[in-house]
Amino acid sequence: MLIVVAGFLFVNFNIADNNIPQEEVKTEKPQYHVPDDVQQIIDNSCYGCHNSESKNEKGKKKLQFDKMSDLKTYKQVGSLADIADVVTEGDMPPEKFLKKYPERQLSKEEQEKLVSWANNLAKQLTPED
Amino acid sequence: MIIVFLLVLIQFVPAGLPDTIAENENDLLYNNQIPEQVAVILKTSCYDCHSNETNYPWYSYVAPVSWLVGKDIREGREELNFSEWESLSKIDKAKHLDNIIDEVSDGDMPMNIYTIIHTDAKLSSEEIEQLANWAEDYAESLFE
């Protein structure tokens, strides 16, 4: 429990630095800002397993929120689309985890917020069809 | 005797084997220039469950095997159907290509229950690499 809570304190999900000079913003890796309310949902219900220091090997392998901005764009988009899928389906967070931490269950509203964030960001990162 | 009777009886339970469709205008291979080797891998190792072009062997019509086969193919097509590839958005294509790389690299696909019988569908490490490299190149090309 303590470890999980400690993990949440070190959340650092690719917060775009607004002070970067204009020309440096145009890097290959897109930078984006995660709204506070979405970040809170991620911290509470996802980050514990999905970070680069995670003890949950499966979760760590699948997705690391703290390293997401290091991924190639298609992988970021793929991850975001997966997030939208599994949250919509109610497959994440997993039942086993929720049994232990019922307070980390996503409310309907949180689900919607997370899904629409993931979908919108995926769209933003993807060239027009 | 009872077992034989039961085996006969269960043949009347619908198996729900999805239909096969030979011509699919949105098919991945039909619409894209895909390296021959990769196309062969996809056809041999993926298309039975992840396309409308399923090749049903005779025993797949026999219950209870048919139930299992039917379920796997329904789920496979629902998750990813290469016959409908062109109808997908770029985002969904990226998602699937990303997942293909992970699934085949981890040996999670094709499923063991499938390759036990379809031994030719088992991917060699070289084939895994070919498939993963193709998927990565293709995914990256969507974002150029």
Side-chain angles (χ1 to χ4, degrees):
Chain A
M1 184 65 200
L2 249 177
I3 296 170
V4 174
V5 173
F8 292 133
L9 297 175
F10 293 99
V11 169
N12 176 20
F13 179 41
N14 193 23
I15 295 162
D17 188 341
N18 293 325
N19 300 322
I20 302 172
Q22 195 57 42
E23 59 272 23
E24 277 187 310
V25 175
K26 275 189 107 189
T27 53
E28 261 183 64
K29 304 274 159 54
Q31 297 283 308
Y32 41 80
H33 179 72
V34 183
D36 289 347
D37 51 349
V38 173
Q39 185 68 63
Q40 232 169 47
I41 298 169
I42 293 171
D43 292 353
N44 188 47
S45 298
C46 323
Y47 194 86
C49 295
H50 293 294
N51 72 82
S52 58
E53 309 275 306
S54 173
K55 296 226 156 50
N56 180 321
E57 287 302 323
K58 216 170 147 195
K60 179 163 123 181
K61 190 159 182 300
K62 193 78 200 156
L63 172 68
Q64 300 175 1
F65 278 106
D66 52 338
K67 300 282 180 205
M68 208 155 144
S69 57
D70 298 344
L71 298 174
K72 289 179 175 164
T73 313
Y74 84 85
K75 278 199 175 281
Q76 296 192 31
V77 170
S79 296
L80 289 163
D82 278 336
I83 291 169
D85 281 355
V86 296
V87 172
T88 304
E89 295 289 323
D91 293 338
M92 279 286 149
E95 257 176 68
K96 231 171 107 184
F97 169 77
L98 291 176
K99 242 186 205 159
K100 236 170 146 180
Y101 308 102
E103 72 280 9
R104 305 206 180 276
Q105 171 109 46
L106 295 171
S107 69
K108 193 105 201 106
E109 192 193 344
E110 288 174 323
Q111 251 181 9
E112 278 163 20
K113 226 177 230 174
L114 192 55
V115 169
S116 78
W117 166 75
N119 281 334
N120 286 333
L121 185 53
K123 256 183 223 151
Q124 219 176 294
L125 296 174
T126 309
E128 296 265 318
D129 272 298
Chain B
M1 187 62 203
I2 294 168
I3 291 176
V4 173
F5 176 71
L6 279 175
L7 276 176
V8 172
L9 199 69
I10 61 173
Q11 301 312 316
F12 293 96
V13 179
L17 294 176
D19 290 336
T20 54
I21 304 165
E23 304 219 338
N24 301 282
E25 59 173 21
N26 282 325
D27 183 69
L28 169 77
L29 298 175
Y30 179 71
N31 287 284
N32 297 280
Q33 295 281 351
I34 291 174
E36 181 68 29
Q37 290 158 310
V38 174
V40 170
I41 296 171
L42 287 168
K43 277 266 183 184
T44 312
S45 300
C46 317
Y47 259 54
D48 266 348
C49 293
H50 292 292
S51 86
N52 296 335
E53 298 175 57
T54 308
N55 284 312
Y56 288 113
W58 65 267
Y59 51 81
S60 67
Y61 294 105
V62 183
V65 175
S66 54
W67 303 341
L68 205 68
V69 171
K71 176 177 173 282
D72 283 346
I73 294 174
R74 282 196 305 275
E75 287 177 3
R77 287 189 190 179
E78 195 190 312
E79 183 62 39
L80 166 65
N81 189 337
F82 286 119
S83 300
E84 290 161 10
W85 183 258
E86 289 310 312
S87 66
L88 298 174
S89 66
K90 255 187 198 177
I91 293 172
D92 281 336
K93 285 179 184 169
K95 177 187 81 177
H96 286 307
L97 291 165
D98 186 18
N99 286 335
I100 288 168
I101 297 170
D102 289 347
E103 295 275 333
V104 299
S105 301
D106 294 346
D108 293 334
M109 277 289 153
M111 299 197 301
N112 277 334
I113 195 164
Y114 177 70
T115 52
I116 280 174
I117 299 153
H118 298 81
T119 46
D120 59 333
K122 210 169 166 59
L123 297 174
S124 67
S125 49
E126 194 189 333
E127 287 172 321
I128 290 172
E129 203 182 320
Q130 279 174 344
L131 198 53
N133 286 342
W134 162 77
E136 170 138 43
D137 288 348
Y138 185 9
E140 283 183 359
S141 77
L142 297 172
F143 289 83
E144 276 164 5

